[in-house]
């Protein structure tokens, strides 16, 4: 019953178990989603007295009311009519009526099924209730989204049926899968709930849905939403009211009274500045500032003081719920501290694969929800990104996972030739099902050739031109250009593109490493440090020499997976011909056979790979850490001493690569301008 394709909101029983088992079997065989519900999800105000029925929801099939009483009586009819009346009300609430019309206009998408649970054929039943026509299928999927609480932006979904691939994928109706639905709605009695998944599996979005559920179900519960990074915390605090408005939450947000959203640490003397600061202020604990000790020691010290207070008198929890995002950034002591001060449940979400060179892909603590489906990226693109990142198509592989680790990352593992040949597949996703019938390559490799006049800039412009030619409705904001290297040559090329793109296409450019954001109606240009969490239909990745350095490969993995339709990888032929030959062969297999086909390394090679990764993560001084980044950015030696002191003053001696890079880049540009003057 834990299949990611299936969700059931009511209890399995002697009466319905045959039907339930058949639905689960069907979803597994056909990789299709199904939901069995007895009320609309997402709002507890919908409930019914009748218990002899349930509703089966499946995309491309009618909404089926199953009746188990043995006859259709007034009670069943009242249940069905009330259910549909409430569905119409929900459609009004989220402005779906303009697209799907009033209930009478979709009455033909509703079916009443009166079956003998011990003697029925699901395949025949579904054949009778198959919906014909893209328009009616779309209306039914919108109804399913309303009933499961997986609300789509109706302005993006639109009423018309798209006639091109780009708009088909853009307007695809997204539905929670079984695991996501269980996380949002399933009742639990556990103090700690852990959710893990790849980047792009929807963890933050699910935390927002869980937050909404918790907030509207009580008028007094106190909830703290936190993460480690200040920038992410600020972004989340802006997203929450937008999300609540979108979800039509009627309760006012009571900031710093019922709901908090800050980073984890905070500042001493400013109670609402962070989760740790709030806890220290509330219980009168000693606050340790950033730089005085690391966060693990600060949390351990706070726990020690709380335990000492508890020997005098019991301490009362200050929060009913806590939600923690990006859990991989935290020590266990912080989770222990959260548990100590929370009455009900702490929800913890993290990336199982934050780095493709993580030495422990599967945590020692088994998550309650493991999300393995990446909904941001076409599965073929994700397979190629993993392969390039880990060197799977090269003679010297850079990473290898155990079978359980491959499965945790969403792969179906098939082995042959004495278990030495691996075929790694991913389950198809509804968002990309239209691609199956199109002759489109999810990843395109492009080599430059200076001798033939095919330099990097011309190749970028050619790629944009190809995208426009194949996708007539493409917008400037649909394309992201990402540079792998943070060198002056990359910034200079971005400056040239800022002039050539408007000349060639009439589009304005957004250099995001300066604006720090994605801007509507502008083509996005940045480097690898400013694209986390973003997505575009089309991404153009620009690399120079692709080395085997772990940082380079991890960045390429992250860059390539920003696209949800197509990625172009542009690289100089004079530096990368051998690599190109290897990865292009592997990419062809992905496109033709829909799997990664790779020869497994020997046990000795696996030990060597793991040892190398572990060694590469050995501790280095903060000075060496910063100066490595200076080398990567080609910072002039003259400026390095002053920049190093600026970094220490700004972020402290914290090994936060993205933050350190940002401080260096910002201040270095100021120094260069001042020197030029």
């Amino acid at each position: 019953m834990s299949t990611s394709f299936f969700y059931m909101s009511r209890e399995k029983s002697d009466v319905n178990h045959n039907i339930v088992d058949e639905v689960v079997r069907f979803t597994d065989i056909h990789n299709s989603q199904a939901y069995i519900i007895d009320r609309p999800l997402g709002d507890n105000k919908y409930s019914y007295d009748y218990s002899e029925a349930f509703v089966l929801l499946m995309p491309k099939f009618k909404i089926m009311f199953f009746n188990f009483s043995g006859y259709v009586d007034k009670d069943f009819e009242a249940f069905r009519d009330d259910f549909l009346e409430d569905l119409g009300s929900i459609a009004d609430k989220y402005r779906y009526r303009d697209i799907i019309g009033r209930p009478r206009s979709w009455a033909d998408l509703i079916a009443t099924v009166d079956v003998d649970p011990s003697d029925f054929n699901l395949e025949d039943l579904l054949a009778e209730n198959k919906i014909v026509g893209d328009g009616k299928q779309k209306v039914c999927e919108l109804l399913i989204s309303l009933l499961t609480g997986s609300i789509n932006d109706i302005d993006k979904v639109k009423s018309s049926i798209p006639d091109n691939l780009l708009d088909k994928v853009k307007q695809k109706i997204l539905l929670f899968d079984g695991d996501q639905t269980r996380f949002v709605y399933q009742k639990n009695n556990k103090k700690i709930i852990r959710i893990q998944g790849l980047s792009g599996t929807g963890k933050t979005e699910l935390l927002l849905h869980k937050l909404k559920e918790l907030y509207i179900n009580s008028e007094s519960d106190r909830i703290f939403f936190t993460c480690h990074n200040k920038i992410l915390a600020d972004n989340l605090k802006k997203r929450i009211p937008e999300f609540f408005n979108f979800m039509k939450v009627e309760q006012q947000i009571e900031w710093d009274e019922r709901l908090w959203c800050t980073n984890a640490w905070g500042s001493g003397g400013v109670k609402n500045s962070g989760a740790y600061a709030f806890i220290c202020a509330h219980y009168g604990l000693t606050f340790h500032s950033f730089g005085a000790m690391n966060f693990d020691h600060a949390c351990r010290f706070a726990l020690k003081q709380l335990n000492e207070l508890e020997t005098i008198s019991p301490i009362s929890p200050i929060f009913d719920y806590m939600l923690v995002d990006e859990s991989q950034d935290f020590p266990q002591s912080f989770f222990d501290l959260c548990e100590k001060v929370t009455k009900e449940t702490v929800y913890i979400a993290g990336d199982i694969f934050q780095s493709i060179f993580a030495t422990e892909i599967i945590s020692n603590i088994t998550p309650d929800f493991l999300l393995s489906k990446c909904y941001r990226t076409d599965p073929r693109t994700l397979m190629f990104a993993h392969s390039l990142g880990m060197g799977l198509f090269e003679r010297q592989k850079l990473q290898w996972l155990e079978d359980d680790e491959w499965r945790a990352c969403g792969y179906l593992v098939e082995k042959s030739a004495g278990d030495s040949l691996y075929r790694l597949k991913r389950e198809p996703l509804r968002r990309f099902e239209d691609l199956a019938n199109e002759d489109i390559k999810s990843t395109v490799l492009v080599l430059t050739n200076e001798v033939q006049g095919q330099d990097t800039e011309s190749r970028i412009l050619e790629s944009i031109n190809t995208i426009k030619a194949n996708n007539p409705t493409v917008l400037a904001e649909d394309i992201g250009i990402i540079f792998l290297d943070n060198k002056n040559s990359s910034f200079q090329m971005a400056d040239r593109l800022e002039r050539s793109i408007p000349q060639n296409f009439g589009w304005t450019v957004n250099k995001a490493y300066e604006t720090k954001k994605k801007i509507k109606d502008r083509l996005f240009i940045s480097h690898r440090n400013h694209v986390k969490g973003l997505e575009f239909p089309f991404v153009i990745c620009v690399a120079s020499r692709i080395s085997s350095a772990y940082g380079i490969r991890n960045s390429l993995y992250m860059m390539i997976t920003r696209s949800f339709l197509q990625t172009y990888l542009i690289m100089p032929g004079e530096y990368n011909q051998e690599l190109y030959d290897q990865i292009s062969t592997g990419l062809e297999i992905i496109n033709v056979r829909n799997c990664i086909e790779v020869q497994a390394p020997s046990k000795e090679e696996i030990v060597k790979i793991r040892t190398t990764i572990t060694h590469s993560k050995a501790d280095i001084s903060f000075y060496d850490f910063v100066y490595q980044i200076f080398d990567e950015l080609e910072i002039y030696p003259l400026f390095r001493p002053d920049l190093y002191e600026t970094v220490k003053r700004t972020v402290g001696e914290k090994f936060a690569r993205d933050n350190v890079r940002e401080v260096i880049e910002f201040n270095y540009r100021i120094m260069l301008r001042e020197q030029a003057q």
Side-chain angles (χ1 to χ4, degrees):
M1 294 292 288
S2 61
T3 172
S4 62
F5 291 111
F6 177 74
Y7 173 79
M8 185 171 177
S9 66
R10 62 171 298 164
E11 292 295 321
K12 192 175 179 181
S13 68
D14 288 337
V15 175
N16 65 36
H17 72 94
N18 285 331
I19 294 176
V20 172
D21 291 342
E22 281 300 300
V23 172
V24 172
R25 186 184 65 83
F26 182 90
T27 60
D28 281 341
I29 292 174
H30 298 279
N31 292 335
S32 59
Q33 290 175 232
Y35 313 81
I36 290 178
I37 61 174
D38 52 6
R39 63 178 181 83
L41 307 177
D43 195 326
N44 286 337
K45 73 179 181 182
Y46 300 112
S47 60
Y48 313 97
D49 295 330
Y50 193 76
S51 61
E52 299 297 320
F54 65 52
V55 185
L56 174 62
L57 311 174
M58 297 178 69
K60 299 182 180 177
F61 297 96
K62 293 181 181 180
I63 294 174
M64 289 173 268
F65 285 77
F66 278 73
N67 177 31
F68 301 115
S69 66
Y71 51 90
V72 176
D73 59 8
K74 290 183 179 179
D75 291 336
F76 171 79
E77 289 179 340
F79 160 72
R80 183 189 58 201
D81 293 345
D82 290 347
F83 190 102
L84 294 174
E85 181 182 334
D86 290 338
L87 176 54
S89 175
I90 299 170
D92 272 350
K93 179 179 179 180
Y94 292 105
R95 299 191 301 112
Y96 274 38
R97 178 180 285 186
D98 294 340
I99 304 297
I100 65 176
R102 293 179 178 275
R104 64 173 178 269
S105 62
W106 36 266
D108 59 334
L109 302 180
I110 309 300
T112 297
V113 179
D114 192 9
V115 298
D116 180 352
S118 63
D119 183 22
F120 78 103
N121 186 299
L122 182 64
E123 299 274 359
D124 291 344
L125 187 64
L126 293 177
E128 293 172 10
N129 290 284
K130 178 79 173 178
I131 299 174
V132 178
D134 292 341
K136 289 187 177 295
Q137 287 181 1
K138 182 172 185 175
V139 170
C140 187
E141 290 187 17
L142 286 169
L143 293 173
I144 292 174
S145 73
L146 292 171
L147 289 171
T148 57
S150 185
I151 309 300
N152 287 246
D153 186 341
I154 202 64
D155 293 328
K156 292 181 180 178
V157 172
K158 302 180 180 177
S159 58
S160 59
I161 301 299
D163 59 1
N164 64 84
L165 186 61
L166 173 59
D167 289 340
K168 283 181 181 179
V169 177
K170 273 187 179 181
Q171 297 179 31
K172 194 70 177 178
I173 299 163
L174 301 181
L175 301 174
F176 288 147
D177 65 26
D179 291 324
Q180 293 170 323
T181 311
R182 272 185 285 278
F183 173 75
V184 176
Y185 300 118
Q186 184 171 280
K187 303 298 182 185
N188 69 82
N189 298 314
K190 295 181 65 174
K191 192 66 178 289
I192 300 286
I193 296 292
R194 293 179 181 271
I195 177 172
Q196 290 186 353
L198 297 172
S199 177
T201 52
K203 298 182 296 297
T204 302
E205 191 75 12
L206 290 180
L207 285 180
L208 289 171
H209 276 275
K210 176 58 75 173
L211 172 64
K212 188 263 299 185
E213 285 295 300
L214 297 173
Y215 197 82
I216 65 175
N217 286 338
S218 167
E219 294 184 358
S220 59
D221 283 349
R222 292 155 61 92
I223 307 168
F224 207 115
F225 196 155
T226 189
C227 60
H228 198 283
N229 184 277
K230 284 185 178 180
I231 296 173
L232 177 59
D234 290 341
N235 179 260
L236 284 171
K237 190 164 186 176
K238 292 173 184 174
R239 283 184 66 184
I240 288 171
E242 294 172 356
F243 180 77
F244 274 30
N245 287 337
F246 174 70
M247 296 298 293
K248 311 299 180 186
V249 174
E250 296 173 357
Q251 293 185 32
Q252 194 75 19
I253 297 178
E254 299 178 44
W255 289 115
D256 298 339
E257 293 181 21
R258 282 194 57 210
L259 179 59
W260 290 259
C261 183
T262 71
N263 74 307
W265 202 311
S267 304
V270 186
K271 183 176 182 179
N272 292 316
S273 62
Y276 168 71
F278 191 99
I279 293 167
C280 288
H282 180 84
Y283 292 107
L285 311 180
T286 304
F287 177 88
H288 293 91
S289 60
F290 179 75
M293 63 172 60
N294 66 37
F295 196 49
D296 183 30
H297 289 158
C299 292
R300 289 175 184 270
F301 195 86
L303 277 166
K304 181 174 180 290
Q305 286 191 303
L306 282 174
N307 289 331
E308 289 171 353
L309 288 174
E310 210 165 27
T311 62
I312 301 171
S313 63
I315 64 168
S316 299
I318 49 175
F319 306 120
D320 293 281
Y321 299 95
M322 289 193 74
L323 295 90
V324 182
D325 200 6
E326 301 291 352
S327 64
Q328 68 276 358
D329 295 337
F330 289 105
Q332 179 60 38
S333 57
F334 178 65
F335 304 137
D336 295 338
L337 183 61
C338 293
E339 183 178 8
K340 188 81 172 176
V341 301
T342 302
K343 180 181 178 181
E344 300 294 342
T345 305
V346 181
Y347 295 93
I348 301 172
D351 192 340
I352 193 176
F353 208 16
Q354 179 69 8
S355 166
I356 58 172
F357 298 104
T359 49
E360 290 186 8
I361 302 300
I362 298 179
S363 169
N364 292 328
I365 303 171
T366 303
D368 300 277
F369 298 89
L370 180 60
L371 307 179
S372 59
K373 292 184 175 65
C374 177
Y375 290 95
R376 175 194 296 136
T377 306
D378 182 339
R380 294 175 299 168
T381 304
L382 188 59
M383 286 190 277
F384 176 74
H386 280 149
S387 300
L388 177 60
M390 293 191 278
L392 298 184
F393 299 141
E394 299 160 54
R395 284 185 289 274
Q396 185 67 49
K397 293 174 178 57
L398 305 175
Q399 171 66 298
W400 187 256
L401 307 183
E402 300 295 331
D403 290 359
D404 286 346
E405 293 174 326
W406 285 120
R407 294 186 186 101
C409 293
Y411 284 96
L412 307 174
V413 180
E414 296 179 3
K415 294 185 283 187
S416 60
D419 290 349
S420 64
L421 181 64
Y422 274 63
R423 290 185 180 87
L424 304 169
K425 300 180 179 180
R426 301 189 70 82
E427 291 174 337
L429 300 177
R430 288 187 66 257
R431 188 181 192 187
F432 306 105
E433 65 185 358
D434 293 307
L435 301 184
N437 301 319
E438 299 282 346
D439 184 21
I440 180 172
K441 294 180 178 179
S442 65
T443 304
V444 179
L445 304 180
V446 180
L447 285 181
T448 65
N449 189 320
E450 297 282 351
V451 176
Q452 297 179 9
Q454 297 171 328
D455 61 5
T456 300
E457 185 177 352
S458 67
R459 286 298 212 176
I460 292 172
L461 296 175
E462 286 175 15
S463 299
I464 296 174
N465 198 51
T466 301
I467 291 170
K468 278 182 64 69
N470 294 334
N471 303 273
T473 61
V474 69
L475 305 173
E477 66 200 56
D478 292 333
I479 300 175
I481 299 174
I482 308 170
F483 288 95
L484 174 64
D485 304 304
N486 299 329
K487 299 178 180 178
N488 288 333
S489 58
S490 298
F491 295 113
Q492 291 166 1
M493 186 175 296
D495 290 339
R496 293 196 299 273
L497 290 168
E498 189 177 23
R499 296 187 295 271
S500 60
I501 287 174
Q503 291 171 359
N504 284 274
F505 307 107
W507 287 341
T508 307
V509 163
N510 165 34
K511 293 190 291 189
Y513 52 84
E514 294 178 352
T515 65
K516 311 296 184 188
K517 59 185 177 181
K518 191 176 178 182
I519 301 177
K520 185 176 176 60
D521 297 326
R522 293 194 178 189
L523 188 144
F524 179 99
I525 297 181
S526 192
H527 52 69
R528 60 187 179 182
N529 294 327
H530 293 287
V531 295
K532 185 176 182 181
L534 299 179
E535 70 170 29
F536 305 86
F538 303 97
V539 166
I540 300 172
C541 300
V542 183
S544 54
R545 186 191 301 273
I546 299 179
S547 71
S548 297
Y550 293 148
I552 293 296
R553 294 303 181 97
N554 204 74
S555 294
L556 279 168
Y557 157 69
M558 182 270 296
M559 291 162 55
I560 291 169
T561 55
R562 296 308 96 189
S563 81
F564 62 75
L565 192 58
Q566 193 172 46
T567 293
Y568 287 76
L569 175 58
I570 299 177
M571 50 189 173
E574 61 265 36
Y575 301 134
N576 301 289
Q577 187 63 55
E578 182 180 359
L579 175 66
Y580 172 85
D581 293 340
Q582 293 169 338
I583 63 177
S584 59
T585 301
L587 177 59
E588 184 65 22
I589 292 173
I590 290 174
N591 285 327
V592 173
R593 303 178 189 172
N594 209 29
C595 71
I596 300 171
E597 197 167 276
V598 58
Q599 194 72 31
S602 66
K603 291 181 179 179
E604 293 76 18
E605 288 173 316
I606 292 173
V607 170
K608 184 178 179 181
I609 290 168
R610 292 294 173 108
T611 302
T612 303
I613 293 173
T614 303
H615 179 72
S616 75
K617 295 178 180 294
D619 290 340
I620 61 172
S621 68
F622 185 72
Y623 177 89
D624 290 336
F625 170 73
V626 174
Y627 269 73
Q628 281 181 0
I629 298 176
F630 287 158
D631 291 339
E632 293 174 13
L633 300 178
E634 299 180 344
I635 303 296
Y636 292 140
L638 171 67
F639 299 107
R640 294 188 179 198
D642 288 342
L643 276 174
Y644 178 71
E645 294 302 320
T646 301
V647 168
K648 285 205 300 182
R649 287 196 305 271
T650 306
V651 301
E653 295 193 14
K654 182 182 178 185
F655 290 74
R657 178 170 289 274
D658 287 354
N659 289 351
V660 170
R661 276 180 179 277
E662 200 162 316
V663 170
I664 293 171
E665 291 170 341
F666 178 77
N667 287 280
Y668 185 49
R669 286 196 291 273
I670 293 175
M671 290 177 173
L672 288 174
R673 281 199 295 268
E674 290 175 347
Q675 187 189 51
Q677 294 171 354

